[in-house]
Amino acid sequence: MEFPGIDQLLGQASRASGGLTDFGTGHEPGLARLVDEIRRRVQVSEHNIQQLTGILVAVLVSRLYSQRGWKERPGCLAQPIRSPLVVVGIPRSGTTALHKLLSMDPRFQGLEQWLINTPMPRPPRESWEHVPEFRTAVERQNAFLEAVPALRVTHEVNADEVDECLNLLAQSFVSHYFASCLGLPNYDRWVREQDERASYRRYAENLRLIGADAPGQRWLLKNPGSVAHLDALFEVFPDACIIQTHRDPVQCIPSVCGVIWPARSFFHAREIDPATLGPRERDLWAWSVERGEQTRQRHPGRFIDVDFRAFQRDPLHEVQRIYAHFGLTLEPEVERAMRAWLASNPQHKHGRHEYTPEQYGLTAAEIRQHFAAYIERHSLARQT
């Protein structure tokens, strides 16, 4: 069985969107390279064709919704985005928990998962149950978690909750998202050589669309991978406020492999050898944090660091530090909402995530070697 060509994928996306046809421009090189490598490297069968096409078609549908939204609300593109708070860091260093905790503050707006998949001006929350795109997103996310139940333990995401910006940035088809899901080394190397400023500009335009009816509300965003593209992020959001989380990579890297492994096995419809995952994640994130460090040195006042150990011990204390650093006030009612969220979402809520470096083709010593400078800078050597 052969993977579909680009015209077939565009047709599928158009039908899935209800007949939209304007995909915009700029995505063609990345999409062509991605399709070519899937055809070369991935074994396609009746068991995984739907999963493989689905990941590309979903991003194309997202592009279609964006293009339609900008045509219908062109004025939104002139709206400024002021001082967004952006959570970055190696995956599994507390980025998700911190992001969701901060989202309890109603002064912020975030990217709910269903709006990442189908960008549009955010409807009033009380109306979401009547929005077809929201209902579809809930059904699909529930089906995905049923198919890959391990993700409930490692990285559960719900359609109505804030999510990371990765899938929205993937609209350009210049993104490590696809290689993480599918395992595409040549495409992966190509992505690292690309300038992602165009991706971030489109991302900002999507924020303006989604927040069109709340132009003055401050954005709260999260994308671990932005740590490697802080230069592009600051070009698009010059006054961005960066919250960077830190955890011992000996813990982070096997943990992120544990998130990727069941998902990649799902997309391939077979159990992938987990030992093939570790070297890529080790190299990607070691490269990312060192690249990010170069930008940090040029924007020192725009960062605050959050140690995973401190966040685990006293999450609200770390929130208070963040608010103080960026000149915000933690209102009593917001603190109560955050405490309620913490009580409802304890660590290991759906089970304990167990992992070792050796499962994923790594050793603790070689992880420490690759991240030696990062571990030293942030005093992570004694992390447990």
Side-chain angles (χ1 to χ4, degrees):
M1 179 175 289
E2 188 174 48
F3 189 76
I6 291 174
D7 287 344
Q8 291 171 284
L9 292 169
L10 297 177
Q12 288 184 38
S14 182
R15 291 189 292 275
S17 69
L20 300 177
T21 58
D22 180 7
F23 292 92
T25 61
H27 62 289
E28 299 91 345
L31 179 59
R33 188 170 288 266
L34 185 56
V35 169
D36 180 66
E37 188 163 6
I38 291 173
R39 287 183 154 192
R40 289 173 182 271
R41 298 192 65 95
V42 179
Q43 184 177 346
V44 181
S45 72
E46 62 181 332
H47 303 294
N48 69 351
I49 185 66
Q50 186 173 352
Q51 295 95 305
L52 293 173
T53 56
I55 191 173
L56 273 65
V57 168
V59 177
L60 288 167
V61 167
S62 181
R63 283 190 69 94
L64 286 167
Y65 268 82
S66 299
Q67 296 296 137
R68 182 183 70 175
W70 295 326
K71 286 181 181 177
E72 294 178 348
R73 297 287 297 271
C76 75
L77 296 176
Q79 294 172 354
I81 296 175
R82 296 191 175 92
S83 304
L85 265 65
V86 186
V87 181
V88 305
I90 299 174
R92 316 303 291 169
S93 62
T95 56
T96 297
L98 178 58
H99 182 217
K100 290 186 177 182
L101 183 61
L102 293 173
S103 75
M104 294 300 102
D105 190 334
R107 87 181 71 189
F108 302 128
Q109 61 177 320
L111 282 172
E112 291 83 9
Q113 189 215 40
W114 76 278
L115 288 169
I116 293 173
N117 296 332
T118 51
M120 64 178 73
R122 184 187 297 102
R125 183 173 282 267
E126 61 271 16
S127 73
W128 289 3
E129 291 293 340
H130 305 290
V131 178
E133 289 87 351
F134 174 74
R135 295 199 303 269
T136 299
V138 171
E139 292 169 3
R140 287 179 177 169
Q141 183 63 10
N142 288 340
F144 183 58
L145 291 174
E146 286 294 322
V148 194
L151 289 182
R152 290 193 184 277
V153 176
T154 59
H155 189 65
E156 182 178 27
V157 176
N158 295 305
D160 63 342
E161 293 180 332
V162 291
D163 197 5
E164 63 190 37
C165 313
L166 179 61
N167 288 22
L168 200 54
L169 281 160
Q171 281 193 359
S172 64
F173 290 92
V174 181
S175 171
H176 74 80
Y177 168 63
F178 302 104
S180 295
C181 292
L182 304 180
L184 304 170
N186 291 334
Y187 173 81
D188 214 8
R189 284 189 289 271
W190 176 79
V191 166
R192 288 205 210 176
E193 297 168 354
Q194 303 310 301
D195 183 340
E196 292 209 24
R197 284 178 292 184
S199 299
Y200 277 84
R201 286 193 291 268
R202 185 177 178 93
Y203 162 59
E205 291 177 349
N206 270 298
L207 296 182
R208 292 183 174 95
L209 172 64
I210 293 168
D213 294 327
Q217 190 174 7
R218 193 170 186 176
W219 278 98
L220 169 67
L221 305 165
K222 171 236 175 179
N223 183 43
S226 286
V227 73
H229 302 289
L230 292 169
D231 52 349
L233 190 144
F234 277 118
E235 181 169 312
V236 176
F237 308 116
D239 56 356
C241 301
I242 310 297
I243 306 165
Q244 186 170 353
T245 58
H246 304 282
R247 186 185 185 192
D248 183 357
V250 173
Q251 301 295 321
C252 290
I253 300 305
S255 182
V256 73
C257 290
V259 176
I260 292 171
W261 179 65
R264 190 177 294 183
S265 296
F266 166 77
F267 285 112
H268 286 266
R270 61 185 175 86
E271 191 169 289
I272 299 299
D273 179 2
T276 62
L277 271 65
R280 185 260 184 180
E281 299 308 312
R282 176 200 64 205
D283 293 349
L284 171 64
W285 296 108
W287 171 79
S288 295
V289 294
E290 292 309 316
R291 198 165 189 261
E293 180 62 23
Q294 297 172 20
T295 305
R296 278 181 61 116
Q297 292 176 6
R298 296 193 296 273
H299 301 271
R302 307 232 63 90
F303 286 78
I304 185 171
D305 296 308
V306 175
D307 189 302
F308 180 78
R309 295 164 292 188
F311 182 69
Q312 279 194 312
R313 285 193 301 268
D314 192 344
L316 265 297
H317 179 265
E318 295 306 295
V319 169
Q320 289 165 343
R321 281 203 318 113
I322 292 166
Y323 276 51
H325 184 82
F326 293 122
L328 301 170
T329 301
L330 182 60
E331 302 292 347
E333 63 271 21
V334 174
E335 183 173 345
R336 286 193 292 272
M338 289 181 176
R339 291 189 185 279
W341 185 88
L342 288 167
S344 300
N345 294 275
Q347 191 179 21
H348 314 307
K349 177 179 179 179
H350 296 292
R352 184 176 290 274
H353 181 203
E354 303 285 357
Y355 48 83
T356 66
E358 288 74 18
Q359 283 176 270
Y360 300 105
L362 301 170
T363 67
E366 66 179 345
I367 296 173
R368 291 192 185 99
Q369 181 181 6
H370 277 74
F371 287 88
Y374 171 73
I375 291 171
E376 172 93 19
R377 279 196 302 272
H378 298 286
S379 305
L380 299 172
R382 295 184 181 180
Q383 176 82 21
T384 59

